[in-house]
Amino acid sequence: GQSLEQPSEVTAVEGAIVQINCTYQTSGFYGLSWYQQHDGGAPTFLSYNALDGLEETGRFSSFLSRSDSYGYLLLQELQMKDSASYFCALSDSWGKLQFGAGTQVVVTP
Amino acid sequence: SAVISQKPSRDICQRGTSLTIQCQVDSQVTMMFWYRQQPGQSLTLIATANQGSEATYESGFVIDKFPISRPNLTFSTLTVSNMSPEDSSIYLCSVGGVGSSTGELFFGEGSRLTVL
């Protein structure tokens, strides 16, 4: 089977940088995705790594190292609106996702 | 991208009853995925629905409890049968976008079910 681990909660102040780590165990996968979910809302796609390395999308960046079974999401220039849950997820070739438990990011003034 | 409409957005149901959730997509998609999100928890895949074939269920989910229909490439339904309070969850329909990476899914707003 597959398993993903990520911290349950991270707190940071506005303007700071936050890194959410995701370690995984799997026999095979296509890529690692990141999703944001605000309370009461649907998950929204943030970033995806099919290959090792860094992907940058605005204030958000994601990294994957297959050799270390590890990835992270980097949130820069934190804003209050970034307070949400963030999920890493492993995808297969069909697009099916298995999600981690999620990290609650709390941004304080 | 894909726009997904789910109905109902929320409902309160009595124990032992069944409820059908509808998912409508604004474009034709091959695969549709149904997820469950229990209160304060992550998303768990229930099943994958392909048009013209039976849905494929994940471990722990069975067709008798969660029958799925997929009559065409833009529509699917998920029924939660013989509900109990443990079925109180948000049920989410999702699809991949045309031309998007396999890591990108679009989600409906979810159907929040409360079972009394």
Side-chain angles (χ1 to χ4, degrees):
Chain A
Q2 296 180 323
S3 68
L4 302 97
E5 286 192 18
Q6 50 182 129
S8 59
E9 184 172 317
V10 173
T11 300
V13 298
E14 271 186 297
I17 299 174
V18 160
Q19 179 172 317
I20 303 171
N21 297 323
C22 175
T23 58
Y24 58 84
Q25 288 187 327
T26 179
S27 57
F29 70 107
Y30 218 67
L32 184 70
S33 301
W34 290 91
Y35 285 76
Q36 179 192 63
Q37 186 179 33
H38 288 97
D39 277 349
T44 56
F45 172 79
L46 292 177
S47 190
Y48 173 68
N49 294 77
L51 303 175
D52 282 6
L54 191 67
E55 291 287 336
E56 296 179 271
T57 310
R59 294 187 297 113
F60 297 160
S61 303
S62 61
F63 174 83
L64 175 64
S65 169
R66 287 176 179 265
S67 60
D68 295 322
S69 297
Y70 163 76
Y72 67 71
L73 178 71
L74 197 68
L75 288 66
Q76 301 180 76
E77 301 172 18
L78 270 182
Q79 302 175 9
M80 295 298 292
K81 67 178 181 180
D82 297 329
S83 291
S85 292
Y86 293 82
F87 297 91
C88 59
L90 294 173
S91 65
D92 67 9
S93 59
W94 297 102
K96 189 169 68 175
L97 296 180
Q98 179 178 356
F99 287 83
T103 299
Q104 179 75 39
V105 172
V106 177
V107 183
T108 60
Chain B
S1 66
V3 177
I4 303 171
S5 302
Q6 269 188 248
K7 287 193 290 189
S9 59
R10 59 178 64 235
D11 208 338
I12 299 174
C13 310
Q14 297 299 314
R15 184 193 300 255
T17 62
S18 300
L19 183 81
T20 296
I21 301 166
Q22 299 179 5
C23 177
Q24 179 74 52
V25 188
D26 69 341
S27 56
Q28 294 185 337
V29 293
T30 303
M31 308 186 78
M32 297 176 77
F33 305 99
W34 285 98
Y35 284 87
R36 180 176 74 181
Q37 189 171 29
Q38 294 178 305
Q41 303 296 309
S42 182
L43 292 86
T44 302
L45 181 65
I46 298 172
T48 302
N50 293 327
Q51 192 266 335
S53 64
E54 283 208 359
T56 303
Y57 289 82
E58 298 298 308
S59 175
F61 297 95
V62 295
I63 188 172
D64 288 347
K65 176 68 175 178
F66 298 101
I68 289 172
S69 77
R70 184 78 201 276
N72 58 54
L73 290 174
T74 63
F75 187 78
S76 178
T77 67
L78 169 76
T79 299
V80 186
S81 302
N82 187 25
M83 285 185 284
S84 68
E86 292 71 35
D87 294 319
S88 297
S89 290
I90 301 172
Y91 293 84
L92 297 136
C93 169
S94 68
V95 303
V98 174
S100 66
S101 70
T102 57
E104 182 175 6
L105 289 185
F106 299 92
F107 286 85
E109 290 299 314
S111 299
R112 184 182 297 266
L113 303 188
T114 301
V115 185
L116 303 178

